């Protein structure tokens, strides 16, 4: 376990919590913070006692986007050689479910980070958006791609071209987030939900996450082949035997993740 400067981590039962922690700048994501988020996630992913990851922000926002101070003097060649967004690709390799809890703002890179989560809960007053256009740039960590795949071209064009904010109500309406809660209970409700998923059979959870992600990338035919193999694979697990036996014996299953 290493200590982090820009995030805080805490283990709550089977949940690995990551909180963005630069509240003075509304958790603006500098490169180091993104690297730390990935390192913490990979650490949780390797830890057999952790079953799910929750991502949230400290202070008055989830995060207000990439760190503009860090970016303003950047040039194209340094961004290319630094491979600015390479850490974001590693996010796709996290096997355990990631739940985001968004309060306040999730703008720009922070909205992109939120869109990388497997599920999102938000406070009723949360606001999402891609304000990059107002800075003379555009989303660069998946925003135009993920948002469009999620809500379709019509709203993605409107939101990304205008840079206007998306309310939690609108985000809920368009399926960007799973539920809204009053800000006071957002973390409690998110942790409760995460706790329930953490008690599901881990191998089934893993295969379900993988298969749903493939639905975004693959054709229906390829996706169905992928799903089917995962379905077959689960019949090699003890948890499948245990789950079905427990059903027949009318008792609660005791899943081991094997
Ligand atoms: N980068 C660096 N600093 C930031 C920041 C950011 N993205 N967002 C906020 N801050 C800083 C502010 O400069 C301010 O610092 P000072 O107190 O030193 O002035 C502090 O955080 C508090 O912010 P505000 O005083 O602006 O707070 P507010 O409540 O009045 O406004 C806000 C909140 C509307 C979110 C506003 O801060 C804002 O518009 N932030 C920038 C949002 C943005 O454009 N994000 C996109 C960045 S580009 C990107 O993300 C590219 C990508 O795809 C990866």
């Amino acid at each position: 376990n290493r200590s982090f400067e820009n995030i805080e981590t805490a283990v709550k039962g089977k949940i690995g919590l990551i909180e963005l922690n630069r509240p003075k700048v509304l958790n603006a994501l500098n490169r180091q913070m993104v690297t730390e988020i990935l390192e913490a996630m990979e650490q949780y992913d390797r830890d057999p006692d952790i079953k799910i990851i929750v991502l949230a922000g400290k202070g008055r926002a989830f995060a207000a986007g990439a760190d503009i101070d860090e970016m303003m003097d950047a040039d194209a060649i340094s961004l290319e050689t630094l491979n600015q967004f390479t850490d974001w690709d590693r996010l796709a390799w996290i096997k355990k479910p990631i739940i985001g809890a968004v309060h306040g703002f999730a703008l720009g890179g922070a909205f992109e980070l939120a869109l990388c989560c497997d599920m999102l809960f938000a406070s009723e007053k949360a606001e999402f958006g891609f304000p990059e256009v107002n800075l003379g740039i555009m989303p660069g960590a998946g925003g135009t791609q993920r948002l469009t795949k999620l809500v379709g071209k019509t709203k993605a064009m409107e939101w990304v071209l205008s840079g206007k904010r998306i309310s939690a109500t609108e985000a809920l309406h368009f399926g960007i987030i799973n539920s809204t809660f009053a800000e006071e209970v957002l973390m409690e409700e998110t942790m409760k939900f995460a706790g329930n998923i953490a008690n599901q059979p881990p191998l089934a959870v893993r295969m379900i996450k993988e298969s749903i992600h493939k639905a975004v990338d693959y054709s229906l035919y390829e996706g169905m082949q992928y799903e089917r193999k995962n379905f077959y694979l689960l019949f090699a697990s003890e948890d499948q035997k245990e789950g079905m036996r427990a059903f027949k014996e009318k008792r609660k299953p005791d899943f081991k993740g094997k």
Side-chain angles (χ1 to χ4, degrees):
N1 266 26
R2 91 186 212 14
S3 61
F4 298 111
E5 283 170 35
N6 301 281
I7 60 170
E8 256 186 43
T9 59
V11 173
K12 314 259 180 196
K14 298 175 182 175
I15 305 168
L17 177 64
I18 300 174
E19 289 178 293
L20 313 181
N21 190 24
R22 297 181 77 206
K24 285 201 184 104
V25 286
L26 303 181
N27 297 328
L29 304 155
N30 55 19
R31 276 189 290 274
Q32 196 188 334
M33 189 198 276
V34 177
T35 302
E36 289 182 7
I37 293 167
L38 263 299
E39 281 179 15
M41 285 202 185
E42 286 168 354
Q43 223 166 327
Y44 285 146
D45 218 25
R46 282 192 299 270
D47 184 340
D49 297 330
I50 302 288
K51 305 296 181 200
I52 190 161
I53 299 165
V54 169
L55 183 64
K58 278 179 121 48
R60 69 184 168 94
F62 176 74
D67 188 336
I68 296 170
D69 294 334
E70 188 183 64
M71 251 183 331
M72 61 189 301
D73 297 321
D75 64 88
I77 302 304
S78 67
L79 292 178
E80 167 63 27
T81 43
L82 265 171
N83 211 350
Q84 169 86 7
F85 294 131
T86 191
D87 282 331
W88 295 77
D89 299 331
R90 285 157 65 197
L91 256 173
W93 293 99
I94 303 296
K95 299 284 189 183
K96 291 171 188 169
I98 305 167
I99 302 191
V102 174
H103 76 291
F105 299 106
L107 302 177
F111 189 16
E112 290 172 310
L113 183 60
L115 289 173
C116 291
C117 293
D118 298 307
M119 274 170 285
L120 280 177
F121 297 124
S123 80
E124 288 152 352
K125 292 187 199 131
E127 290 186 84
F128 301 81
F130 284 121
E132 283 89 340
V133 69
N134 303 321
L135 300 168
I137 56 166
M138 60 179 283
T144 62
Q145 306 303 296
R146 284 186 196 278
L147 186 67
T148 307
K149 289 193 178 195
L150 193 57
V151 303
K153 177 191 138 196
T154 310
K155 294 307 278 188
M157 279 289 182
E158 176 186 330
W159 286 327
V160 187
L161 287 175
S162 69
K164 73 182 185 190
R165 305 242 182 94
I166 306 163
S167 68
T169 313
E170 257 184 307
L172 189 60
H173 175 76
F174 284 98
I176 296 169
I177 60 176
N178 292 76
S179 317
T180 58
F181 296 106
E183 187 163 325
E184 311 81 75
V185 298
L186 171 66
M187 267 323 272
E188 187 186 322
E189 292 291 340
T190 305
M191 295 302 273
K192 204 192 296 172
F193 185 88
N196 289 338
I197 305 292
N199 286 324
Q200 301 285 44
L203 288 171
V205 166
R206 182 182 171 112
M207 297 301 147
I208 290 167
K209 167 168 172 163
E210 258 183 44
S211 301
I212 292 178
H213 275 273
K214 293 297 182 206
V216 179
D217 286 342
Y218 283 8
S219 70
L220 181 61
Y221 180 79
E222 286 173 305
M224 286 184 65
Q225 305 307 307
Y226 191 87
E227 178 194 69
R228 197 165 302 162
K229 296 292 180 200
N230 280 342
F231 177 84
Y232 298 157
L233 184 64
L234 288 175
F235 282 75
S237 72
E238 286 173 25
D239 284 350
Q240 173 267 325
K241 310 275 177 298
E242 168 63 10
M244 294 191 178
R245 213 181 291 128
F247 174 78
K248 288 306 290 177
E249 291 167 6
K250 301 188 190 303
R251 60 173 173 83
K252 271 190 77 173
D254 177 20
F255 293 122
K256 296 269 192 316
K258 290 199 272 193

